[in-house]
Amino acid sequence: MAISSNTAKKKTVLITGASSGIGNATTRKLLQEGYRVYVAARRVEQMQDLVQRGAIAVPLDLTRDEEIVAAVEWIVVECGSIDILINNAGYGSYGAIEDVPVDEGRRQFEVNLFGLARLTQLVLPKMRENKFGKIVNVTSIGGKIYTPFGGWYHATKHALEGWSDTLRLETKPFGIDVVIVEPGGIKTDWGHIAADNLKKTSGTGAYAKAANKAAASMHEIYSGSRLSAPDVVAATILKAVTSARPKTRYHTGYMAGPVLWLRRWLSDRMFDRIISSMA
């Protein structure tokens, strides 16, 4: 059962990381369905195409609490509440665990988990009051698996999976749905950025040979045609948002299903060998 278009027009959505990729594609689909959409990112100027389509741009750095508070207060004043929160912002800072500065690890947790958590805390009171809310957390199949040099990234996504499960249990009595969306390989700049960071962090030193090989492989994959378009994930998010009874989890995109199947049924050592051979 889907939410009617008349209901959609009354619902207010806040989506983070909307300046490109999955966030941009999802916003376009939500606007087409008649939602009132606030788009958030650090660089507002990169969301002007969405503003021209009818979205409202909000400056938001998830590492700055004052910006998180200001964004929520602004939307609540204008609309009364935030009915749907799509936590899409995040990044992958790759490098050997020995090489990545702990401060960079902390920053990745600030963006991928703590900023997201703070934003969620602030929208929950109105959702509880209205006895309605949908929170969609975009994790990754990287929240279920692991790859060489992605330790900090995987740590944030594994944490977000468990955090989301707990949130779902706590908020269910108040009519709030918490949904996890786990993309596989998606054609965005994410892979190139992660690969460049990997070369910068571990391209010399003890891990250089494996790191440079992995970075080259990432560039090749993200320059090719095998990955899924961001619209594939956007369609899944829209399905979760419009469903009266959404699933707790959706996986979508290139190799998401096969990889999760392998992780579920293979031993750690077997999975290690497969992942290592692909790096």
Side-chain angles (χ1 to χ4, degrees):
M1 178 180 176
I3 297 173
S4 70
S5 58
N6 288 334
T7 302
K9 292 176 182 177
K10 300 176 183 178
K11 299 301 181 186
T12 299
V13 181
L14 171 60
I15 177 168
T16 64
S19 59
S20 63
I22 294 169
N24 184 284
T26 301
T27 299
R28 286 188 275 109
K29 286 188 179 294
L30 290 167
L31 290 170
Q32 289 170 2
E33 293 294 321
Y35 289 90
R36 182 189 298 113
V37 186
Y38 285 79
V39 289
R42 286 183 302 157
R43 298 180 179 86
V44 173
E45 67 276 8
Q46 293 184 358
M47 300 187 290
Q48 290 310 301
D49 63 317
L50 299 177
V51 172
Q52 292 173 4
R53 293 171 180 265
I56 303 102
V58 181
L60 180 60
D61 183 338
L62 287 171
T63 67
R64 300 176 64 87
D65 188 71
E66 63 273 19
E67 290 192 17
I68 298 172
V69 172
V72 173
E73 288 181 346
W74 175 21
I75 299 170
V76 170
V77 167
E78 287 196 344
C79 303
S81 66
I82 295 169
D83 304 299
I84 300 165
L85 172 63
I86 302 174
N87 287 311
N88 169 69
Y91 77 105
S93 182
Y94 269 49
I97 289 174
E98 184 178 343
D99 295 335
V100 177
V102 172
D103 282 346
E104 171 56 24
R106 288 194 183 100
R107 183 177 183 278
Q108 195 155 178
F109 266 94
E110 283 292 338
V111 174
N112 291 4
L113 182 65
F114 296 126
L116 173 158
R118 178 62 170 143
L119 186 58
T120 303
Q121 286 180 328
L122 292 171
V123 305
L124 281 173
K126 281 293 183 180
M127 286 184 174
R128 287 191 293 98
E129 182 181 322
N130 296 338
K131 299 190 184 315
F132 176 87
K134 288 182 182 288
I135 298 169
V136 179
N137 292 332
V138 181
T139 62
S140 165
I141 61 170
K144 292 285 186 61
I145 67 163
Y146 47 88
T147 56
F149 307 113
W152 286 105
Y153 172 74
H154 289 297
T156 64
K157 294 302 185 180
H158 278 254
L160 180 54
E161 291 266 340
W163 185 88
S164 299
D165 286 332
T166 299
L167 181 68
R168 183 179 67 252
L169 294 176
E170 294 175 352
T171 58
K172 182 180 178 181
F174 302 102
I176 300 169
D177 292 315
V178 178
V179 179
I180 296 169
V181 174
E182 301 164 333
I186 308 300
K187 183 80 169 179
T188 68
D189 290 335
W190 183 93
H192 293 296
I193 293 169
D196 288 342
N197 201 76
L198 172 54
K199 286 181 66 69
K200 179 181 176 182
T201 304
S202 297
T204 60
Y207 302 92
K209 182 177 179 180
N212 286 316
K213 180 183 176 184
S217 177
M218 291 171 73
H219 277 306
E220 180 181 355
I221 291 170
Y222 278 83
S223 297
S225 59
R226 288 178 292 174
L227 303 185
S228 300
D231 282 344
V232 172
V233 185
T236 301
I237 294 173
L238 184 65
K239 183 178 180 180
V241 166
T242 57
S243 174
R245 187 177 172 80
K247 295 180 181 179
T248 59
R249 272 177 175 78
Y250 297 84
H251 63 261
T252 186
Y254 178 70
M255 289 297 290
V259 169
L260 292 176
W261 186 90
L262 288 172
R263 184 66 192 106
R264 180 177 181 181
W265 295 109
L266 295 184
S267 68
D268 289 345
R269 298 296 186 192
M270 284 291 293
F271 193 78
D272 285 357
R273 283 197 287 273
I274 291 173
I275 291 295
S276 295
S277 69
M278 296 170 61

